[in-house]
Amino acid sequence: MKKKVCIAGVSGYIGAQLYRILLNHPEIEIADLFGAESAGQKIGDIYPSLTKYGQMTIKQLSTLNWLNYDIVFSALPNGETSKYWDLFKNSRLFIDTSADFRVKAADLFSKYYPDQTYSVASKNFVYGLPELFRSRIREAKCIAVPGCFATSIILGLAPIFAADLNDGGVFVTSVTGSSGSGSKPKDKTHHPVRNDSYFGYEPLNHRHTAEIMEAVEARFNQSPKIAFQAHSGPFVRGIHTTILFQSANGRDIFAAVKEFYKNEKFIFY
């Protein structure tokens, strides 16, 4: 029997991409879509590429009842999911794509997300990176989907720490496309501004640093010193990450990568 799911916040880039993925999942039935500002519209009217499949009308978020679904997805913007936590907290399985519940330590969250309020519910979430936490995810009731930069960086760091290759600090540069800033244009993130420019931002203080540190410590019991600099690149989708580290033991990094990811279907090298 297919799992009945709903998506809250479907009108954003992440919500729309999630909708596309779930449409093709053989074990999933998308029962309902929810939104706030987008309520009353059809998903196909917002994204013409989904017109063929997008005849579902987006319902008002406040009417969501978790009892009607096996899985509840939230793709609401950062800071919004926690505001609606009462709607989601009793879900059979809740999967959130925002940053609201990724960081468990209150002091770390406050340092990197000073504009948001820490939620104690974060302690009940499993960090949703299957290559590192697959067994925990299988048992989880609440899953926090990793951030974009964090995913690319953690996947690069994992073989290094698994093989104990690092002998010092870790230096990371990552370049992201404009779609990572979401669907609402802002002065510095709108694609026409970024299309022909390359620049760094949040110098050595990017908010994804918090979840990177927690994930590495949780999986490998190490507290790495990470210097991470984010950049905006002149493209739309994707992230390119470069990791530099000191290693004195002479082991082959590519052998370590192949060993760590030898059974992973979504890692290519």
Side-chain angles (χ1 to χ4, degrees):
M1 179 180 290
K2 292 186 175 183
K3 299 289 187 181
K4 292 185 66 174
V5 310
C6 71
I7 305 173
V10 72
S11 64
Y13 286 159
I14 293 177
Q17 186 63 31
L18 177 60
Y19 179 75
R20 292 185 182 98
I21 293 171
L22 295 180
L23 276 174
N24 296 310
H25 198 296
E27 297 179 18
I28 292 295
E29 173 195 346
I30 303 177
D32 287 305
L33 306 176
F34 292 92
E37 297 177 6
S38 60
Q41 301 180 68
K42 288 181 168 50
I43 186 65
D45 294 335
I46 301 173
Y47 293 99
S49 62
L50 294 175
T51 300
K52 181 179 178 181
Y53 312 98
Q55 299 310 308
M56 294 181 68
T57 298
I58 302 172
K59 298 181 178 180
Q60 178 56 241
L61 180 59
S62 60
T63 66
L64 189 153
N65 186 340
W66 65 269
L67 286 168
N68 297 327
Y69 315 103
D70 298 298
I71 307 171
V72 175
F73 288 90
S74 174
L76 294 170
N78 291 345
E80 292 298 310
T81 310
S82 56
K83 292 179 182 178
Y84 291 96
W85 181 233
D86 285 343
L87 287 178
F88 304 129
K89 64 182 181 182
N90 294 316
S91 302
R92 297 180 177 92
L93 175 58
F94 178 64
I95 302 176
D96 179 40
T97 67
S98 80
D100 292 14
F101 306 103
R102 293 175 190 158
V103 180
K104 295 184 181 300
D107 56 343
L108 201 59
F109 185 90
S110 298
K111 176 181 177 180
Y112 286 96
Y113 293 87
D115 57 335
Q116 292 183 219
T117 302
Y118 173 78
S119 172
V120 69
S122 302
K123 297 182 182 296
N124 299 321
F125 277 73
V126 169
Y127 194 66
L129 193 62
E131 289 81 5
L132 269 66
F133 303 109
R134 182 170 283 107
S135 60
R136 300 184 194 180
I137 292 170
R138 284 178 175 147
E139 303 298 323
K141 183 180 177 182
C142 298
I143 299 171
V145 176
C148 51
F149 277 125
T151 298
S152 70
I153 295 169
I154 294 169
L155 291 177
L157 291 175
I160 297 171
F161 286 99
D164 197 24
L165 296 178
N166 182 47
D167 294 320
V170 176
F171 306 90
V172 181
T173 60
S174 288
V175 189
T176 185
S178 59
S179 65
S181 298
S183 60
K184 291 186 176 181
K186 306 177 186 68
D187 289 345
K188 294 183 180 180
T189 62
H190 196 23
H191 184 72
V193 176
R194 297 172 63 158
N195 184 52
D196 57 0
S197 62
Y198 181 98
F199 56 87
Y201 64 97
E202 296 186 25
L204 301 178
N205 194 41
H206 193 280
R207 54 185 52 192
H208 285 186
T209 305
E211 58 188 278
I212 295 167
M213 294 169 61
E214 281 200 341
V216 170
E217 185 169 6
R219 181 65 170 78
F220 303 107
N221 196 30
Q222 298 185 49
S223 301
K225 295 180 180 179
I226 299 175
F228 164 42
Q229 179 58 57
H231 293 82
S232 165
F235 52 91
V236 178
R237 301 183 69 166
I239 289 178
H240 184 282
T241 291
T242 301
I243 298 174
L244 302 175
F245 64 99
Q246 294 177 327
S247 183
N249 63 20
R251 285 199 54 190
D252 184 351
I253 178 61
F254 294 106
V257 170
K258 291 179 180 179
E259 175 62 25
F260 192 82
Y261 291 122
K262 62 183 177 182
N263 296 317
E264 297 296 342
K265 296 181 179 179
F266 295 101
I267 303 294
F268 304 92
Y269 45 81

